[in-house]
């Protein structure tokens, strides 16, 4: 494996004795003291607690430098004074309790021995909770076997195999460990602009050992493709177990085999397009896949031509996400349309009832009309004004927590956007977006704007092109905040200054992967680190020799990326090229930084939940996570 550089291998032994610090920091007292750049702030937040998942330690041991790197979660409700002891086969490895949430065991017995690692949390010397046993990996990946569906057989007798596609993590059974929800697409899936019948989309749920919990068949009246079937899987009612919400239709079959609506109905026209027939929002039980409730889908289709064409390309563009609209409990947000008319509907699942919270429609006379044509292929959720309640960054327009338009930049539709603390020298959050239509974006084809007001802070020319991709991540320690680049134009720092003409060729995803606070690029099945001095990417992990494959054509996205287990670094989930397994890669790199699991930063968490929608985007934290970062605020969570 090419994951460890020579310098990193040499540094591992010293990391057991001392922790690396930023250049301006004093030397640490011991190995149990994390970098102050990633220390946990204890100041109370200003807003009420938010409902969150009760997670276990998620401990994992991965081969690293001839031994094993053991990592585990620091939880959002952990006391800052919490320390940890690591044991192997019942014998302690840590000479004293340590603060770090990782330990490199360089004395592990050689294969085929299977060491058993146990992590015990201590608070002022007393054990807290149950010890955690680490999941032992023999290779850089956890392989999760899949139950691949049989080929779809079309009306003309042709066979269309299924491929594993987008996914999402969720705790479906309340045991503190994530399960995986996976979308299967047949190879005759179509873009909305293309005619042709498709096979049905399937949704599966798996435990990490490959046990399939259920399969939902969305049926013949939900077309397959990247823009038809966004889903959200989240604990909406606060019972500790996640539910699944997705658009359904006549002939959808739930995880118990029950058919929704008319099982015999076929609404596709002679071109294979589904432009009529009822649509529903359905809530499914996360444990069994059973349908719990269905209501008519809002936004409704209505007259297809009212969305801008007669063949459904604009009417059948769907997105979905999760937002804490009241600041305390999660709601689901489903949408329709973004090229022209844009309609968003917020839903609450409470006490066994699915209720509408609000509906935003850019066709409604008034200020909201400015949102028409301003959507993107994905929307981001964030508290843009710091009032404790989430808002929907729908692209160039932002819809407030109350379902009212906050602003529109007027720069038009785009294919990629990032929302987070991209520039830590400024207050609040920022939105980075690339745009598609030169007559709308003018000189602002690539831009950063204030998330609260829409004020454009800096921009770069789109060179008269449809700017197809763009990303922001901290890849250069010489500049505060995140660097941004797109498929055209230069590399720009968070303050809008051009860093140079050289930029990473990877423009799709990012991953916090190695031991420092910079973010790595994730493109296809390659994780790489930007080298500012040479202007090149250094490969840290290439999934191809392991049989990994990416999704969604040139978008080259994973099934999903998230802080799935282990410490605060992110895992990437790829499918195998034959779709027989998921390959979950976890970092083998030691780190001197202690951070709460990113999944307890609820901006990051809801962006992970929406990652499967449209043109998948990597999640961003609500705080600046990068070189020179301040101590992040301690999350205030309400756990089931």
């Amino acid at each position: 494996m090419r994951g460890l550089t020579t310098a990193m291998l040499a540094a591992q032994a010293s990391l057991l004795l001392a922790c690396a610090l930023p250049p301006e920091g004093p030397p640490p007292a011991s190995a149990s003291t994390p970098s102050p750049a990633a220390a946990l702030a204890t100041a109370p937040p200003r807003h009420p607690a938010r409902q969150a998942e009760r997670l276990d330690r998620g401990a994992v041991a991965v081969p690293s430098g001839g031994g094993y790197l053991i990592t585990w979660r620091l939880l959002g409700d952990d006391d800052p004074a919490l320390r940890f002891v690591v044991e192997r086969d019942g014998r302690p490895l840590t000479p004293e309790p340590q603060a770090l949430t990782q330990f490199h065991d360089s004395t592990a017995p050689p294969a085929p021995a299977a060491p058993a690692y146990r992590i015990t949390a201590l608070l002022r010397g007393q054990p807290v909770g149950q010890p955690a046993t680490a999941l032992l990996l023999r290779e850089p990946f956890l392989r999760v076997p899949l139950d691949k569906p049989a080929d779809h057989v079309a009306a003309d007798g042709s066979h269309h195999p299924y491929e594993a596609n987008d996914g999402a993590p969720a705790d479906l059974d309340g045991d503190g460990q994530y399960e995986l929800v996976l979308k299967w697409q047949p190879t005759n899936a179509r873009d909305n602009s293309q005619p042709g019948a498709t096979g049905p989309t399937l949704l599966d749920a798996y435990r990490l050992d490959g046990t399939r919990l259920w399969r939902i068949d969305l049926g013949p009246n939900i077309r397959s493709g990247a823009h038809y079937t966004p889903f959200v899987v989240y604990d909406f009612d606060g019972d500790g177990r996640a539910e699944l919400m997705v658009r359904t239709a006549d002939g959808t079959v739930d995880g118990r085999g029950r058919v929704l609506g008319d099982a015999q109905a076929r609404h596709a026209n002679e071109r294979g397009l589904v432009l009529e027939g009822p649509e529903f929002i359905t809530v499914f039980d996360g444990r069994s896949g059973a349908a719990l409730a269905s209501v008519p889908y809002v936004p409704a289709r209505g007259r297809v031509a009212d969305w801008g064409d007669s063949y459904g390309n604009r009417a059948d563009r769907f997105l979905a996400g999760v937002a804490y609209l009241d600041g305390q409990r999660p709601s689901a947000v489903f949408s329709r349309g973004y090229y022209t008319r844009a309609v968003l509907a917020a839903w609450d699942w409470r006490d066994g009832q699915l209720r509408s919270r609000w509906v935003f429609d850019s066709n409604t006379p008034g200020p909201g009309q400015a949102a028409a044509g301003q959507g993107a292929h994905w929307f981001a959720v964030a508290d843009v004004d710091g009032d404790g309640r989430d808002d929907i960054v729908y692209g160039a327009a932002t819809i407030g927590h109350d379902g009212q338009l906050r602003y529109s930049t007027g720069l038009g539709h785009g294919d990629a956007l990032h929302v987070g603390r991209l520039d830590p020298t400024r207050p609040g959050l920022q939105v980075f977006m690339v745009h598609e239509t030169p007559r709308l974006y003018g000189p602002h084809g690539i831009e950063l704007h204030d998330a609260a007001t829409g004020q454009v802070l800096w921009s770069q020319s789109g060179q008269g092109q449809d700017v197809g991709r763009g990303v922001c991540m901290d890849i250069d320690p010489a500049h505060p905040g995140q660097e941004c680049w797109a498929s055209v134009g230069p590399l720009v720092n968070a303050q809008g200054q051009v860093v140079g003409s050289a930029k990473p060729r990877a423009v799709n995803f990012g991953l916090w992967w190695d031991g420092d606070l910079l973010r790595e690029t994730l493109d296809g099945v390659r994780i790489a680190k930007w080298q500012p001095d040479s202007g090149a990417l250094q490969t840290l992990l290439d999934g191809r020799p392991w049989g990994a494959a990416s999704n969604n054509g040139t978008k080259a996205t994973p099934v999903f990326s998230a802080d799935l287990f282990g410490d605060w670094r992110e895992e990437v989930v790829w499918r195998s090229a034959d779709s027989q397994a998921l390959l979950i890669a976890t970092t083998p790199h030691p780190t001197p930084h202690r951070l709460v699991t990113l999944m307890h930063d609820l901006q990051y968490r809801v962006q992970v939940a929406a990652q499967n929608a449209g043109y998948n985007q990597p999640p961003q934290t609500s705080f600046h996570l990068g070189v020179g970062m301040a101590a992040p605020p301690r999350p205030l969570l309400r756990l089931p």
Side-chain angles (χ1 to χ4, degrees):
M1 187 183 78
R2 300 179 62 187
L4 290 170
T5 66
T6 302
M8 288 178 178
L9 286 169
Q12 285 175 344
S14 62
L15 275 171
L16 300 178
L17 301 175
C19 296
L21 290 170
E24 69 273 19
S30 73
S32 63
T33 304
S35 162
L40 192 64
T42 58
R46 296 178 294 126
H47 306 299
R50 288 188 172 196
Q51 175 189 311
E53 296 158 312
R54 184 180 294 279
L55 299 173
D56 64 15
R57 291 287 167 204
V60 62
V62 62
S64 171
Y68 283 94
L69 180 71
I70 307 97
T71 69
W72 57 93
R73 293 187 184 108
L74 184 68
L75 303 171
D77 62 336
D78 279 337
D79 191 295
L82 204 67
R83 297 294 182 264
F84 301 95
V85 170
V86 181
E87 297 174 293
R88 185 186 71 212
D89 300 327
R91 300 181 63 183
L93 294 175
T94 43
E96 61 182 24
Q98 64 170 45
L100 292 178
T101 54
Q102 61 103 75
F103 182 86
H104 184 260
D105 180 13
S106 60
T107 64
Y117 293 101
R118 189 172 73 165
I119 297 91
T120 301
L122 300 176
L123 183 60
R124 298 175 185 89
Q126 298 302 311
V128 175
Q130 295 297 316
T133 299
L135 174 66
L136 185 73
L137 305 185
R138 294 296 200 174
E139 53 186 355
F141 301 92
L142 172 63
R143 292 180 180 267
V144 180
L146 299 175
D147 185 3
K148 185 177 180 179
D151 294 357
H152 167 67
V153 181
D156 62 3
S158 58
H159 285 246
H160 301 277
Y162 276 89
E163 290 182 344
N165 190 252
D166 296 329
D171 184 1
L172 300 176
D173 54 13
D175 66 354
Q177 183 180 88
Y178 284 119
E179 284 75 45
L180 312 175
V181 176
L182 176 69
K183 179 173 75 172
W184 291 98
Q185 280 192 174
T187 51
N188 67 347
R190 295 283 188 270
D191 185 80
N192 302 59
S193 62
Q194 301 170 345
T198 75
T201 298
L202 309 177
L203 296 173
D204 281 1
Y206 294 91
R207 292 198 173 100
L208 293 180
D209 64 1
T211 301
R212 197 187 85 187
L213 301 178
W214 44 257
R215 172 167 291 165
I216 294 168
D217 183 341
L218 294 182
N221 297 305
I222 298 288
R223 209 160 177 250
S224 288
H227 307 289
Y228 291 104
T229 52
F231 62 89
V232 288
V233 55
Y234 210 84
D235 179 11
F236 289 104
D237 59 5
D239 66 355
R241 300 183 300 272
E243 297 80 36
L244 169 75
M245 294 179 66
V246 67
R247 185 175 67 102
T248 59
D250 284 336
T252 294
V253 183
D254 77 2
R256 292 276 182 88
R258 184 164 65 94
V259 180
L260 280 64
D262 182 352
Q264 305 305 315
R266 298 293 184 270
H267 298 302
N269 63 22
E270 67 281 357
R271 303 183 69 211
L273 304 173
V274 181
L275 303 179
E276 59 182 27
E279 303 169 292
F280 312 102
I281 287 275
T282 301
V283 183
F284 295 89
D285 181 78
R287 293 170 295 179
S288 67
L292 300 176
S294 286
V295 298
Y297 186 85
V298 178
R301 181 189 295 117
R303 267 192 357 124
V304 172
D306 290 344
W307 298 84
D309 62 54
S310 61
Y311 62 103
N313 183 36
R314 290 166 176 80
D316 272 6
R317 297 279 178 166
F318 302 95
L319 297 172
V322 178
Y324 289 78
L325 299 171
D326 65 0
Q328 299 180 59
R329 302 184 70 180
S331 300
V333 179
F334 284 81
S335 71
R336 184 180 219 127
Y338 40 74
Y339 290 131
T340 51
R341 180 186 179 192
V343 187
L344 294 79
W347 299 91
D348 292 338
W349 173 249
R350 308 274 193 270
D351 303 318
Q353 300 293 319
L354 184 58
R355 299 185 178 93
S356 172
R357 174 175 282 267
W358 51 251
V359 177
F360 170 88
D361 189 343
S362 65
N363 271 11
T364 301
Q369 291 178 298
Q374 304 299 313
H377 282 284
W378 183 78
F379 68 68
V381 172
D383 175 10
V384 301
D385 58 357
D387 69 352
R389 296 169 292 190
D390 284 341
D391 310 287
I392 313 301
V393 181
Y394 202 58
T398 291
I399 314 304
H401 68 271
D402 55 358
Q404 302 298 311
L405 179 71
R406 286 189 59 89
Y407 61 81
S408 171
T409 67
L411 299 177
H413 165 75
D415 285 0
L417 70 120
H418 288 236
V419 181
R421 192 79 191 277
L422 309 180
D423 182 359
T425 69
R426 294 185 58 86
L429 304 178
Q430 298 81 41
V431 179
F432 172 77
M433 189 171 175
V434 300
H435 298 277
E436 183 168 298
T437 309
R439 66 177 175 80
L440 293 178
Y441 70 62
H444 309 302
I446 304 160
E447 51 89 12
L448 189 83
H449 64 262
D450 185 275
T453 66
Q455 176 190 0
V456 175
L457 303 175
W458 58 256
S459 65
Q460 289 288 321
S461 170
Q463 302 177 13
Q465 300 180 33
D466 171 355
V467 185
R469 299 299 279 172
V471 291
C472 275
M473 59 188 82
D474 190 1
I475 60 172
D476 188 340
H479 306 272
Q482 302 196 16
E483 287 70 46
C484 304
W485 68 100
S487 48
V488 302
L491 180 65
V492 181
N493 69 19
Q495 294 74 46
Q497 301 162 332
V498 175
V499 173
S501 57
K503 63 182 181 182
R505 296 183 64 184
V507 199
N508 283 324
F509 252 62
L511 202 69
W512 282 290
W513 177 258
D514 69 3
D516 62 27
L517 296 172
L518 297 169
R519 210 171 191 186
E520 284 64 57
T521 65
L522 168 58
D523 197 64
V525 294
R526 181 185 181 219
I527 301 169
K529 191 169 191 66
W530 179 244
Q531 306 296 316
D533 292 341
S534 63
L537 286 168
Q538 174 197 3
T539 299
L540 299 183
L541 178 65
D542 186 344
R544 288 175 299 178
W546 304 89
S550 60
N551 288 330
N552 302 317
T554 59
K555 300 300 181 284
T557 53
V559 173
F560 69 87
S561 64
D563 181 10
L564 192 58
F565 43 65
D567 65 16
W568 59 274
R569 273 85 59 82
E570 295 176 287
E571 282 66 46
V572 58
V573 183
W574 288 306
R575 65 179 176 92
S576 63
D578 60 6
S579 289
Q580 295 289 347
L582 296 179
L583 308 178
I584 306 177
T586 190
T587 183
H589 300 280
T591 181
H593 302 291
R594 164 175 157 142
L595 285 170
V596 165
T597 173
L598 303 188
M599 298 296 253
H600 273 171
D601 176 65
L602 295 184
Q603 174 180 298
Y604 176 94
R605 180 66 185 91
V606 297
Q607 291 190 14
V608 166
Q611 197 179 133
N612 72 86
Y615 290 170
N616 319 45
Q617 302 287 291
Q620 293 275 0
T621 56
S622 64
F623 55 91
H624 169 55
L625 201 174
V627 172
M629 66 183 288
R634 188 181 182 193
L636 184 58
L637 308 176
R638 180 169 54 83
L639 303 178

